[in-house]
Amino acid sequence: MKTIEWLGDKIRIIDQTKLPEKTVFVELCDYAEVAAAIKEMKVRGAPAIGVAAAYGVALGAQKMRAESKDKFLSQFDQILQTFSAARPTAVNLFRAIDRMRLAATESEDPVKIRQILIDEARRIHAEEEVATERLSHLGAELIGDGFTILTHCNTGSLATAGYGTALGIIKAAKERGKKIDVIATETRPLLQGARLTAWELVQENIPTTLITDSMAGYFMSRGKVSCVIVGADRIAANGDTANKIGTYTLAVLAAENGVPFYVAAPTSTIDLSLSSGAEIPIEERNPEEVTHIGGARLAPQGTKAANPAFDVTPHYYITAIITEKGTVTEPYEFRLSKLLEEAI
Ligand code: MRU
């Protein structure tokens, strides 16, 4: 299933907020609609956000009527700024925006620039497809027959507009004929695990047990988890990794219980400009996502709630980082920068 698709004068996405009850595809005809879809998490997951933003920027450029390059670039800058403000944590968004900004400088002719931007957005999408499939097959080598893999949030086709990262590894292990079981955390507050990961795994026919986030320690302490695999929204130069809120808790529990803890991400998620996770901007979302579920109020009126959408797992809790260019272990500082220099 194509979760994000460029249709020439619009973009079609699957609306992730409607899953699993309804499979709804929406057509976005304007760049502001694409940026809003990212903000509202109709499209979510680090690589998917980058792909959607790239197509959104290309779409915005098609609708601009500026004839001179200067006018074109000043209107274009407005589009880039709109996407930059959509969500702060996943670096894939900013990497895609930077690539689109650079692509727009490749010609003096706005007509040509419009085509260059479409080509660049398609390239970003294709690269994520190749990278996520490749890292999934590399990661599958770490999975033994009979493993039970615990995963958090949603990291499949929905989140990547490709094969998946943590969930991609699970799919690739199954494709290789390994007998595996999955424990999926529900992932409060927005329930990406319960709604989206469970939906993808049911379709893949992979045996899955859904648990609440707070049950993870119980299962790890009883020896029921062979390894934890999660995705990433941004990996700093020292290996510290921002991912969905609750990931840090899982990493500490994994270390306490001697369970390997893997991070799976394309290299587009690595941000060498930040020396450590302390510099990663963490998105604060509407507290209503905590006081309510699916629009229904849980907590009494007047309850104060906090809603950081991500946390940072220190590098020393991470057994290995799995990318399309290879799997790296400590010392991350040196090995991640070396990895980025390598060709795929
Ligand atoms: O807030 P979300 O749902 O966009 O957060 C998504 C995650 O944290 C994923 O684990 C991450 O983007 C990796 S997706 C392959």
Side-chain angles (χ1 to χ4, degrees), residues 110-306:
V111 176
K112 285 200 181 123
I113 298 174
R114 288 190 190 103
Q115 187 55 47
I116 290 170
L117 290 170
I118 295 173
D119 295 344
E120 185 66 359
R122 283 190 192 280
R123 202 170 299 124
I124 289 170
H125 191 177
E127 284 173 15
E128 291 295 34
E129 286 177 327
V130 170
T132 55
E133 183 150 7
R134 190 175 283 242
L135 77 86
S136 295
H137 287 284
L138 281 178
E141 288 166 17
L142 299 167
I143 307 301
D145 199 38
F147 266 31
T148 297
I149 303 151
L150 188 144
T151 191
H152 188 53
C153 196
N154 170 264
T155 59
S157 301
L158 293 167
T160 59
Y163 193 80
T165 56
L167 210 49
I169 292 174
I170 290 167
K171 286 189 329 194
K174 160 104 188 309
E175 268 178 36
R176 290 172 181 216
K178 292 183 184 174
K179 194 196 155 305
I180 48 162
D181 281 285
V182 175
I183 295 179
T185 54
E186 64 174 355
T187 320
R188 269 288 278 155
L190 292 179
L191 301 168
Q192 289 93 329
R195 294 186 305 105
L196 309 175
T197 299
W199 184 75
E200 290 198 42
L201 286 167
V202 164
Q203 297 194 28
E204 297 290 336
N205 229 347
I206 298 177
T208 305
T209 304
L210 179 67
I211 61 168
T212 66
D213 300 343
S214 52
M215 293 175 190
Y218 170 87
F219 285 98
M220 286 197 225
S221 69
R222 303 230 158 178
K224 305 279 187 209
V225 177
S226 317
C227 67
V228 177
I229 315 180
V230 296
D233 287 84
R234 197 184 297 227
I235 301 171
N238 69 345
D240 290 354
T241 295
N243 190 51
K244 180 51 56 194
I245 193 77
T247 302
Y248 168 51
T249 318
L250 294 173
V252 175
L253 284 169
E256 165 72 13
N257 290 287
V259 174
F261 182 91
Y262 299 114
V263 168
T267 51
S268 57
T269 305
I270 298 170
D271 184 357
L272 294 184
S273 74
L274 305 184
S275 57
S276 84
E279 295 166 53
I280 300 176
I282 300 295
E283 179 180 13
E284 282 283 341
R285 292 188 61 86
N286 190 336
E288 276 205 2
E289 292 175 355
V290 176
T291 55
H292 292 61
I293 283 193
R297 173 175 280 283
L298 292 174
Q301 289 274 6
T303 306
K304 190 173 153 231

Side-chain angles (χ1 to χ4, degrees), residues 81-111:
Q81 280 180 30
T82 303
F83 280 99
S84 300
R87 293 192 75 189
T89 304
V91 75
N92 306 61
L93 172 70
F94 303 96
R95 182 139 296 138
I97 290 170
D98 287 348
R99 279 181 62 168
M100 296 303 277
R101 180 183 286 114
L102 192 65
T105 61
E106 278 172 26
S107 171
E108 292 303 310
D109 174 2
V111 176

